[in-house]
Amino acid sequence: MTPPLIAPSILAADFANLQRDVEFLNQSEADWIHVDVMDGMFVPNISFGIPVCEAVNRHATKPLDVHLMIVQPERYIEAFAKAGAANPDRPGTITVHLEACTHLHRTLTQIRETGCRAGVALNPHSPVELLADVLDEMDQVLIMSVNPGFGGQSFIPHTLQKIRKLRQLLAGSGHTALIEVDGGVGNDNVAALVEAGADVLVAGSSVFKAAHPSEAIHQLKFFNPALRQA
Ligand code: DX5
Ligand code: ZN
């Protein structure tokens, strides 16, 4: 089994020591750096925006995985691409929420034009079937396994069913988009998530609040399948 890609979320980092935490991720077994942008409109919380993404980009050596939890994300694609998501040395991803896009097809095309991979995020209530008509335009699907807005929430078990359905939808149509899972990911559900079909795991609290963050990343990536719990 191919180990999943691990994308620690800097939402759970120490913002007063962001350079230190980004440099830690550079040295770790993490694959991407997940950047959670919240606008206080699409989600109830405000996190950070373009200048912080730029600052992360200045120190990162791994691709940025930018998750836009904002309304009308098409207004900011170019800005986040320039702020590091489209860094030519390590092109990353910009993910927009299906629920926030009136013209999702156009927005995904716009993301790819910047040189980034294009992702679509689905809230827990949005069925995967809604993606059927943009399969050709997307490189990644982010399945939210909590309601977006805050780190440290409990994993919603129904997510496993959604991942399996999406895996079938992609396989049936010959698409190779990656499946990413975000929210409440940790040692207790990693095996079930990968078995269901997850390719990329976002982890905030389970990495940065761990006693040994580098060991936490290692445990997620090289999990023990015998520890599977549904
Ligand atoms: C939630 C964010 C997540 C969050 C994950 O809205 O999209 O990326 O930071 O944090 P944990 O892993 O703590 O659930
Ligand atoms: Zn996220």
Side-chain angles (χ1 to χ4, degrees), residues 93-115:
T93 308
I94 294 181
T95 294
V96 293
H97 268 262
L98 174 135
E99 302 85 6
C101 293
T102 310
H103 301 286
L104 181 61
H105 184 287
R106 176 184 289 151
T107 303
L108 293 174
T109 306
Q110 190 189 346
I111 295 173
R112 279 186 172 171
E113 281 170 1
T114 66

Side-chain angles (χ1 to χ4, degrees), residues 9 11 34-38 65-69 97 142 144 148 180 182-183 202:
S9 170
L11 186 64
H34 189 78
V35 179
D36 281 311
V37 180
M38 303 180 183
D65 183 36
V66 177
H67 177 191
L68 296 181
M69 288 165 273
H97 268 262
L142 189 162
M144 287 304 309
E180 180 174 36
D182 187 0
V202 176

Side-chain angles (χ1 to χ4, degrees), residues 24 29 36 38 41 43 63 66-67 130 133 158 184-185 194 196 223 228:
F24 154 70
E29 290 176 288
D36 281 311
M38 303 180 183
M41 292 291 287
V43 289
V66 177
H67 177 191
L130 291 175
D133 291 308
H158 175 71
V185 173
V194 174
F223 63 92
R228 185 192 183 289

Side-chain angles (χ1 to χ4, degrees), residues 143-202:
I143 303 270
M144 287 304 309
S145 40
V146 298
N147 285 292
F150 304 93
Q153 302 182 80
S154 301
F155 178 80
I156 300 172
H158 175 71
T159 307
L160 290 170
Q161 214 170 303
K162 280 180 82 170
I163 298 170
R164 286 189 206 107
K165 254 196 207 171
L166 176 59
R167 183 46 76 209
Q168 279 178 359
L169 181 70
L170 293 173
S173 56
H175 284 83
T176 55
L178 296 180
I179 301 179
E180 180 174 36
V181 184
D182 187 0
V185 173
N187 284 333
D188 53 340
N189 51 30
V190 56
L193 288 167
V194 174
E195 189 187 66
D199 302 296
V200 188
L201 304 174
V202 176

